Amino acid sequence: MRALVVDHTSPGHLSLTDVPAPRPAAHEALVRVEAVSLNFGEVHEATRPEMPNGTVLGWDAAGVVVRAAADGSGPAEGEKVVTLGETGWAELRAVPAARLGTAPKDADPGALSTVPVAGLSALHVLRRMGSLLGRRVMVTGASGGVGRYAIQLAARAGGHVVAISRNPAQADGLRALGAHEVHPEPAAVRQPVSAVLDNVGGQHLVDAFAALSAGGILFTVGRSSEADVVLSPDALLGNEGRHDRSIHTFFLFSDPTTDFSADLTWLAGEIATGRLDPGISWRGPWTRHFEPVQALLGRRLHGKAVLDFE
C-alpha cells in the first residue's frame, strides 16, 4: 500500500512510498482510508532527527471498513468510520473498536477526519470543567483545531466563551462559532474567568492563570508557543480572594483502555448534520502534503488541513 512516511531527505521530512499493508489483530477492523487531517504535533514530530525514516505517523483518519474485526467487535464491513490511532497516513489502517466511530454513509470523509484529536480533546477537557452554564470559559489558541471545537461545544453548553487569538482576521469567524468575546491575549481580558482551555503555553498560560477566579481551573492541552511557563511566587498566592485555583495537565492518550467509540460516533454525527463546523482551511490531495505541512510548521495555518487520498 502507499503511505506518507518520515523521510529526513525530503522537504517537510515526509514522502510518499510503498510500505507493507497492516495485519489486523482479532479485535481490529481494517479500514480503507479516504481522508486524513494533520495536527501540528505529529507534523512537528516527523522533523525530529531521532524519528526513524520510514515511520508511518498520523492520528486522524476517516474511511470505510473493508474487513470487520474477527472477534465481532466494532462496525461491520462497508461502514463509514472515523478513526483514532497512530498510523493514519496510509491507504489501509488497522483500528480497534474502541477507537472507531461510525458515521452516516453520505458524510464527507474530509470533515470527519478533523474529529479525533481536536474534537475529542475539546470534548473531554470541557467535560472535566463541569457544568459550563453561565460560566466564563477562556479558550487560548482559539483559531486552531482544538480551539475551534472548544468554542462551539462550550457555547452550546451555555458557557460565555472568551476566545484568545493573536490574529485579528480570525475575530469574526470565532464569533460566528459562538465566542462572546475575542481578545489578542489573555492579559487583555478584564473580567475573571472560571475555566481555561490553554493550547499555547508560555506567557499565555501564565496570564490565563492570572485571569482565573477563585476555585478556577486551567487545563493545559497544547504548547504551540514552545516557550517555558514561568510563574512568579506572587502568581501562586491567593491574592484578591483568588484562591484554590489549579492547573491540570491533559493527554488524550493517557489511558490506552479508554473507549472513544461513542464520542467519535457522536462527534461524527454532529459534523455530518452541520451542527459542528470542522474548520477546514486547507484541503487537497495527499500528493500535495508539502504545502499544509510547511504552513503548519510555519504557524501560517489556522483551522484544519485535510489530505484526500486518491
Side-chain angles (χ1 to χ4, degrees), residues 16-300:
L16 279 169
T17 189
D18 291 317
V19 301
R23 295 183 177 182
H27 68 292
E28 294 179 324
L30 187 64
V31 175
R32 174 172 52 80
V33 174
E34 296 179 328
V36 303
S37 67
L38 306 179
N39 299 284
F40 174 81
E42 62 204 349
V43 169
H44 186 261
E45 190 176 1
T47 68
R48 297 184 183 277
E50 62 270 21
M51 180 61 62
N53 283 326
T55 303
V56 180
L57 301 173
W59 300 325
D60 300 341
V64 176
V65 175
V66 293
R67 189 190 310 159
D71 66 1
S73 63
E77 181 178 330
E79 288 262 30
K80 179 160 282 189
V81 291
V82 56
T83 73
L84 174 69
E86 297 175 348
T87 57
W89 298 342
E91 291 176 320
L92 294 171
R93 180 182 216 185
V95 192
R99 295 193 173 188
L100 278 169
T102 57
K105 288 190 179 295
D106 60 350
D108 174 14
L112 294 177
S113 73
T114 69
V115 162
V117 168
L120 286 174
S121 294
L123 181 64
H124 282 242
V125 168
L126 293 176
R127 282 177 178 166
R128 294 182 192 189
M129 291 179 179
S131 174
L132 301 181
L133 190 62
R135 298 169 66 200
R136 288 172 58 81
V137 181
M138 180 186 291
V139 179
T140 72
S143 62
V146 176
R148 290 175 60 89
Y149 275 123
I151 288 171
Q152 295 174 79
L153 294 171
R156 285 173 55 174
H160 179 97
V161 183
V162 180
I164 307 298
S165 174
R166 286 178 259 192
N167 186 347
Q170 298 294 318
D172 289 344
L174 297 178
R175 290 190 181 94
L177 292 178
H180 299 83
E181 303 174 30
V182 182
H183 300 277
E185 55 189 22
V189 178
R190 299 306 174 200
Q191 290 182 272
V193 298
S194 299
V196 175
L197 187 158
D198 177 52
N199 290 299
V200 181
Q203 191 61 39
H204 265 54
L205 189 154
V206 174
D207 293 337
F209 182 71
L212 283 175
S213 57
I217 185 169
L218 182 152
F219 284 91
T220 171
V221 179
R223 291 154 294 282
S224 64
S225 70
E226 299 185 300
D228 291 340
V229 175
V230 181
L231 292 166
S232 69
D234 288 346
L236 301 177
L237 296 176
N239 292 335
E240 301 176 358
R242 296 189 186 185
H243 51 78
D244 294 335
R245 295 172 297 161
S246 59
I247 297 175
H248 290 244
T249 57
F250 174 80
F251 182 55
L252 186 62
F253 301 100
S254 59
D255 183 356
T257 66
T258 301
D259 189 337
F260 292 111
S261 58
D263 289 338
L264 285 169
T265 297
W266 181 78
L267 288 165
E270 297 299 289
I271 286 287
T273 56
R275 288 190 289 267
L276 278 178
D277 180 351
I280 299 172
S281 56
W282 190 98
R283 186 168 187 173
W286 69 335
T287 52
R288 291 172 54 196
H289 59 85
F290 174 76
E291 297 172 40
V293 165
Q294 290 299 99
L296 277 169
L297 292 175
R299 311 290 191 183
R300 300 188 306 275

Side-chain angles (χ1 to χ4, degrees), residues 3-14:
L4 194 59
V5 305
V6 174
D7 179 359
H8 295 302
T9 68
S10 296
H13 297 260
L14 295 167

